[in-house]
Amino acid sequence: MNVTRIYGILAHPVGHSLSPAMFNAAFAEMGINAKYEVFENLARGRKIFRLENSSPGYISGLSISLPYKESVIEFLDEVSEDVRAIGACNTVKIQNDDGDVKKIAIGFNTDWIGFMEALKEKIASVKNLNVIVLGAGGAARAIVYGLIKEGAKVVVLNRTVEKAAKIVKDFSKLCKGCETVPIQFGRLDEIENFKCDVLVQATSAGVGTEGIEESFVSEEFLQKNEPVVFDIIYKPLITPLLQMAIDNGCDIITGEKMLLNQAVKQFEIWFGEKAPKDVMNKELNKFIV
Ligand code: NAP
């Protein structure tokens, strides 16, 4: 029997997600009999994992986004080492999805991989580079995890300094020859003697938008350090921070590159084969301005 397998994103709000377009294009390209849908609440997620053996299509995998990346973990049977370390899951693969045998839901985290892959398009290795990460939420945790695994020296700045300190504490065991330092938000140029090679904006407020004043990152800081500036927000694609970086001669990385690369890795986890990245990228770019 050739059953259409169901994949989807579990998020709230989920209306503007770009994942359905990317994955449905990938399924069509690869001739995979599957549909990618949207699911908005966790109760539905619980049903998916535990109860829906008799659903018309078989649910085989989920992308997990805000605000469920942490709360979904309790519904999973197994999680990867990355999920355990980061404390957040953005990918679920459901095994035994086509029979009466108990389903097994396994959690993975591809955010850190998506970030590192996007960064590597500009910088071959982050070993011993100095990186400043703004933010200490779920995305920042994944990013710092990837960076210190690969030997970068990371300073984490966050509005709530305790959360930055927790990242540093949680990942200190991973840190061999690297260092992580938590710092409260202030002006970046107050961090003396830290030549910044890469600046990552990973708060949900953004610099120069609702939350963080543009003066937080000074033009002098950008001119003096000439960092590669990576803003993980992708709406708009060129954020006020990235515009300031461009105006001051810095190289930039836009947020949709992380989105694309984390989705590519999800595809590979679900299907065990290489994703049609060009097709996914083309589809994504139809919606990005
Ligand atoms: P989250 O867990 O809710 O964390 C939000 C972070 O933003 C926290 O560090 C928070 O600081 C900070 N923040 C929020 N409002 C602020 C304000 N007004 N001033 C200063 N800091 C503020 O969210 P997340 O999962 O980390 O996601 C962060 C952003 O990244 C979201 O916009 C998300 O859409 C985006 N994202 C993009 C990708 C991608 O593929 N490009 C992947 C994942 C996430 P406190 O700790 O002080 O509250």
Side-chain angles (χ1 to χ4, degrees), residues 135-139 158-160 163 185 203-205 211 232 234 255 258-259:
N158 195 44
R159 179 178 59 178
T160 313
K163 274 169 67 182
F185 268 169
T203 74
S204 47
I232 73 166
Y234 48 84
M258 176 174 173
L259 182 70

Side-chain angles (χ1 to χ4, degrees), residues 10 42-43 45-46 49-50 71-78 105:
L10 177 62
L42 192 55
R46 185 202 297 260
F49 299 146
R50 299 284 178 234
S71 51
V72 77
I73 292 174
E74 69 168 295
F75 301 118
L76 304 176
D77 299 297
E78 292 172 24

Side-chain angles (χ1 to χ4, degrees), residues 11-233:
H12 183 83
V14 75
H16 296 109
S17 171
L18 302 176
S19 296
M22 259 193 301
F23 282 108
N24 284 320
F27 297 163
E29 172 71 16
M30 302 294 282
I32 295 171
N33 183 8
K35 264 197 317 201
Y36 190 97
E37 300 182 348
V38 296
F39 304 104
E40 199 141 0
N41 70 58
L42 192 55
R44 172 90 173 129
R46 185 202 297 260
K47 249 179 129 189
I48 290 163
F49 299 146
R50 299 284 178 234
L51 301 172
E52 287 202 352
N53 278 326
S54 59
S55 70
Y58 296 126
I59 294 191
S60 303
L62 288 172
S63 312
I64 311 290
S65 194
L66 279 173
Y68 300 128
K69 287 185 183 181
E70 287 148 26
S71 51
V72 77
I73 292 174
E74 69 168 295
F75 301 118
L76 304 176
D77 299 297
E78 292 172 24
V79 293
S80 69
E81 191 190 320
D82 303 345
V83 171
R84 246 191 303 275
I86 296 165
C89 163
N90 78 327
T91 308
V92 176
K93 177 174 182 165
I94 299 173
Q95 286 184 343
N96 300 337
D97 57 351
D98 55 358
D100 295 333
V101 192
K102 180 185 175 296
K103 291 182 188 181
I104 298 175
I106 308 170
F108 300 86
N109 188 305
T110 69
D111 276 336
W112 74 273
I113 299 169
F115 172 81
M116 294 304 293
E117 288 294 316
L119 188 58
K120 281 176 188 168
E121 289 173 18
K122 289 269 185 225
I123 296 172
S125 166
V126 294
K127 196 165 169 52
N128 294 324
L129 291 190
N130 291 337
V131 184
I132 293 176
V133 176
L134 309 179
R141 281 185 70 88
I143 288 166
V144 175
Y145 174 78
L147 287 167
I148 63 172
K149 254 169 94 88
E150 299 203 10
K153 295 179 179 156
V154 184
V155 169
V156 186
L157 282 89
N158 195 44
R159 179 178 59 178
T160 313
V161 72
E162 292 77 19
K163 274 169 67 182
K166 181 152 176 17
I167 291 187
V168 169
K169 182 166 170 276
D170 289 351
F171 295 156
S172 56
K173 282 200 205 87
L174 283 173
C175 238
K176 293 192 185 81
C178 66
E179 53 184 282
T180 45
V181 185
I183 297 187
Q184 177 110 48
F185 268 169
R187 282 176 60 98
L188 280 185
D189 37 11
E190 285 166 11
I191 306 176
E192 285 171 16
N193 306 322
F194 190 83
K195 164 84 179 76
C196 175
D197 300 302
V198 182
L199 172 64
V200 182
Q201 193 312 108
T203 74
S204 47
V207 172
T209 51
E210 326 158 10
I212 306 163
E213 285 176 27
E214 216 155 328
S215 62
F216 175 72
V217 184
S218 69
E219 304 212 83
E220 296 73 43
F221 174 86
L222 294 173
Q223 286 162 13
K224 186 175 132 207
N225 289 275
E226 295 178 347
V228 171
V229 180
F230 190 158
D231 196 329
I232 73 166
I233 290 179

